[in-house]
Amino acid sequence: MTRAWDDELRARGYRVTPQRQLVLEAVTSLEHATPEEICTRVQQTARGVNISTVYRTLELLEQVSLVSHSHLGHGAPSYHLAAEAEHVHLVCRECGRIDEVGPDTVAPLVTSLRAEQDFETDVRHLTVFGRCGTCRKE
């Protein structure tokens, strides 16, 4: 996977820096992570990398379509690999658990919004809040 990141960055005229590689590795391993969580992970390897470097790097990586963000609640967005962004987030308001479902799960809603509202839905940014099965049972 790293080779594809390198190739994509170079193809767009960007250098492959250790900071960019560390941020991409952190996004990959953490899956849904805020910039602060990504920075903490990166600093385990490179203490000199600060939060503003992480924010700038995430912005660049999103521009070149390597990462994508979602808003999974109040506060900072969460980042994940763009190649794995075609899903809907289910966020439990009680325990904070985040699950993912495929776009086919919300296809009837997407179709209805298109037909009734002439609205094209971007499921990569779709988050549904509620209570997970575990919290509902308790």
Side-chain angles (χ1 to χ4, degrees):
M1 187 78 141
T2 302
R3 177 79 54 208
W5 297 337
D6 294 355
D7 293 345
E8 186 63 33
L9 283 168
R10 285 189 182 103
R12 304 253 187 150
Y14 295 101
R15 292 183 313 120
V16 178
T17 65
Q19 294 88 345
R20 290 174 183 160
Q21 288 179 316
L22 288 170
V23 168
L24 276 166
E25 289 169 6
V27 169
T28 301
S29 64
L30 295 170
E31 295 183 6
H32 295 100
T34 64
E36 290 77 12
E37 292 167 331
I38 293 166
C39 187
T40 299
R41 177 64 63 93
V42 168
Q43 288 175 341
Q44 291 174 355
T45 304
R47 292 181 192 221
V49 175
N50 61 36
I51 190 67
S52 50
T53 299
V54 170
Y55 271 102
R56 282 192 309 274
T57 302
L58 288 169
E59 184 177 325
L60 169 71
L61 295 174
E62 192 159 28
Q63 287 175 1
V64 298
S65 301
L66 289 175
V67 301
S68 180
H69 77 275
S70 297
H71 295 277
L72 304 179
H74 299 294
S78 293
Y79 287 84
H80 50 276
L81 292 178
E84 300 169 3
E86 287 296 319
H87 58 264
V88 176
H89 299 98
L90 306 178
V91 179
C92 179
R93 289 193 188 270
E94 285 189 36
C95 69
R97 178 178 164 176
I98 301 169
D99 286 320
E100 300 173 0
V101 296
D104 54 319
T105 303
V106 295
L109 172 64
V110 170
T111 301
S112 178
L113 289 172
R114 185 177 300 125
E116 296 173 24
Q117 302 293 321
D118 194 26
F119 186 82
E120 185 175 330
T121 305
D122 179 1
V123 296
R124 294 174 302 159
H125 287 92
L126 183 58
T127 302
V128 179
F129 295 92
R131 291 176 61 211
C132 69
T134 303
C135 290
R136 286 188 20 242
K137 291 176 187 170
E138 293 177 354

